[in-house]
């Protein structure tokens, strides 16, 4: 199995248009990188939302990353992955991209404004991708920021500052419509235990500027999985930490919000297991990677418009935790 990249920041290859034998794909959900404990992964997996079953290898990231989410955004044609833990204290600033619908390795896109690990929040419209707050200084005094970066998805290049979140929270999650992005939860990095937050804020994707308070999750959470349709945002699982322990307690709750209306979360149902999680979606279905001993790398599914508990979906091609997740048809581009 694939465990570590030897390419550093070198270019991968883009199969579409080069006749290299890539597989034409349909409505994809993507799971990239992750924590192998020990080590970290450069693997990109994909699933077909409409068919329950195990994930299939898509290709490799340009940099192997781990540690509670690198950020992922996308349009209908291109998927981007940014930041993440790379074995250094600060994490990486690398942004790479893939061409959706056709399998292949990632290619270098540019750099974030600031390196970071434990990102998580990825928000995008059909044209613009926004990456959320991150942790960017090494132990023993790691520091979170409140920075949002953005890129134009169709044009390679470095990220530009977008504005600030309302909290300095790493390990957060993102969900979006075509116009509005929600950033939810996160680890405030307070001592001794890295207290979680229930704060949800929002941005208008087309207009740079600071985030505005949206409402609250039902409980304090970090490492929750975000996904959405064009109208509803869902946040599933996560770790609830009051600050009294290093890691907190894993949760199985699923919350939802109506994206166009500010307010607090409403109960959706439960995951198949209490776990830190990552999520992705198409216009109707959500797929959630469950990172606890369930085993690590299992996935479950929900129908986003209908509340209820998740059902088993399948397994990743390589068992690993805390991937970046995205899709070719997420809520922001319906």
């Amino acid at each position: 199995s694939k465990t570590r990249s030897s390419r550093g920041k070198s270019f991968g290859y883009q199969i579409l248009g080069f006749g290299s034998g890539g597989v034409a794909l349909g409505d994809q959900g993507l799971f990239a990188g992750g924590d192998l404990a020990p080590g970290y992964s450069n693997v990109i997996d994909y699933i077909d939302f409409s068919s329950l079953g195990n994930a299939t290898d898509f290709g490799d990231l340009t940099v192997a990353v781990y540690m509670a989410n690198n950020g992922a955004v996308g349009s209908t044609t291109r998927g981007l992955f940014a930041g993440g833990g790379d074995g250094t204290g600060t994490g990486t600033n690398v942004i790479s991209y893939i061409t959706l619908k056709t399998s292949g390795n990632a290619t270098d896109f540019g750099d974030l404004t600031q390196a970071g690990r434990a990102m998580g929040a990825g928000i995008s419209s059909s044209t613009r991708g926004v990456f959320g707050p991150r942790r960017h200084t090494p132990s023993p005094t790691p520091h979170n920021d409140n920075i949002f970066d953005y890129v134009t998805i169709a044009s390679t290049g470095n990220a530009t500052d977008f504005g600030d979140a309302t909290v300095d929270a790493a390990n957060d999650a993102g969900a979006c419509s075509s116009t509005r992005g929600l950033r939810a939860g996160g680890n405030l990095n307070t001592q001794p235990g890295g207290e979680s937050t229930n704060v949800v804020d929002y941005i208008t994707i087309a207009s740079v500027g600071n985030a505005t308070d949206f409402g609250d999750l039902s409980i304090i959470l970090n490492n929750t999985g975000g996904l959405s349709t064009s109208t509803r945002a869902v946040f599933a699982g996560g770790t609830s930490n009051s600050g009294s322990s290093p890691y907190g307690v894993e949760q199985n709750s699923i919350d939802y919000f109506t994206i166009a209306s500010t307010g607090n979360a409403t109960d959706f149902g439960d995951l198949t297991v209490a776990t830190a999680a990552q999520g992705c979606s198409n216009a109707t279905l959500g797929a959630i990677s469950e990172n606890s001993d369930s085993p690590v790398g299992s996935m479950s599914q929900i129908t986003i418009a209908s509340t209820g508990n998740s059902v088993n979906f399948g397994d990743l091609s390589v068992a690993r935790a805390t991937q970046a997740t995205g899709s070719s048809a997420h809520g922001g581009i319906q």
Side-chain angles (χ1 to χ4, degrees):
S1 64
K2 303 173 188 174
T3 59
R4 189 182 294 266
S5 170
S6 61
R7 289 188 295 274
K9 267 193 77 173
S10 62
F11 280 37
Y13 61 90
Q14 189 176 334
I15 289 180
L16 183 64
F18 288 90
S20 301
V23 179
L25 304 173
D27 195 2
Q28 305 157 259
L30 298 162
F31 301 82
D35 193 344
L36 293 168
Y40 40 100
S41 176
N42 65 350
V43 173
I44 307 170
D45 281 343
Y46 74 92
I47 59 168
D48 182 335
F49 284 103
S50 62
S51 302
L52 297 178
N54 296 335
T56 301
D57 184 80
F58 183 101
D60 295 338
L61 294 169
T62 60
V63 179
V65 289
Y66 73 109
M67 201 158 183
N69 308 46
N70 48 324
V73 301
S75 67
T76 55
T77 57
R78 180 177 278 187
L80 276 59
F81 305 99
D86 63 351
T88 67
T90 57
T92 181
N93 66 352
V94 172
I95 308 171
S96 60
Y97 75 95
I98 56 174
T99 299
L100 298 168
K101 307 295 186 183
T102 305
S103 58
N105 291 346
T107 300
D108 187 78
F109 183 96
D111 295 331
L112 295 167
T113 62
Q114 185 165 266
R117 51 195 173 94
M119 291 184 65
I123 292 164
S124 54
S125 65
S126 59
T127 57
R128 175 175 284 185
V130 183
F131 300 103
R134 66 213 70 167
R135 184 167 299 126
H136 59 80
T137 54
S139 297
T141 56
H143 178 69
N144 298 340
D145 63 34
N146 61 358
I147 294 170
F148 284 108
D149 286 351
Y150 78 96
V151 296
T152 300
I153 297 172
S155 304
T156 59
N158 295 337
T160 302
D161 183 71
F162 182 96
D164 297 333
T166 62
V167 290
D168 296 357
N171 305 94
D172 49 5
C176 54
S177 69
S178 59
T179 57
R180 176 179 282 189
L182 274 61
R183 186 222 53 83
N187 186 329
L188 298 175
N189 205 42
T190 54
Q191 301 301 317
E195 182 181 2
S196 306
T197 178
N198 64 353
V199 171
V200 181
D201 49 24
Y202 75 94
I203 58 171
T204 301
I205 301 171
S207 305
V208 296
N210 295 337
T212 302
D213 184 71
F214 185 97
D216 295 331
L217 295 166
S218 60
I219 56 175
I220 59 172
L221 286 172
N222 58 275
N223 288 326
T224 185
L227 54 97
S228 54
T229 64
S230 59
T231 58
R232 176 175 283 188
V234 177
F235 298 99
T239 302
S240 183
N241 190 355
S242 63
S244 59
S245 66
Y247 302 107
V249 179
E250 292 181 322
Q251 305 292 321
N252 69 346
S253 60
I254 308 174
D255 285 348
Y256 77 92
F257 299 86
T258 300
I259 297 173
S261 304
T262 59
N264 295 336
T266 301
D267 181 67
F268 184 98
D270 295 328
L271 291 175
T272 62
V273 65
T275 179
Q278 285 76 45
C280 58
S281 55
N282 66 5
T284 57
L285 299 172
I288 300 151
S289 176
E290 300 174 334
N291 297 321
S292 71
D293 298 327
S294 52
V296 169
S298 66
M299 296 175 288
S300 65
Q301 184 186 79
I302 59 171
T303 300
I304 300 172
S306 305
T307 58
N309 297 338
S310 69
V311 298
N312 184 62
F313 188 98
D315 298 323
L316 296 174
S317 70
V318 177
R320 60 200 193 275
T322 60
Q323 318 87 36
T325 53
S327 79
S328 59
H330 65 81
I333 56 178
Q334 302 306 328

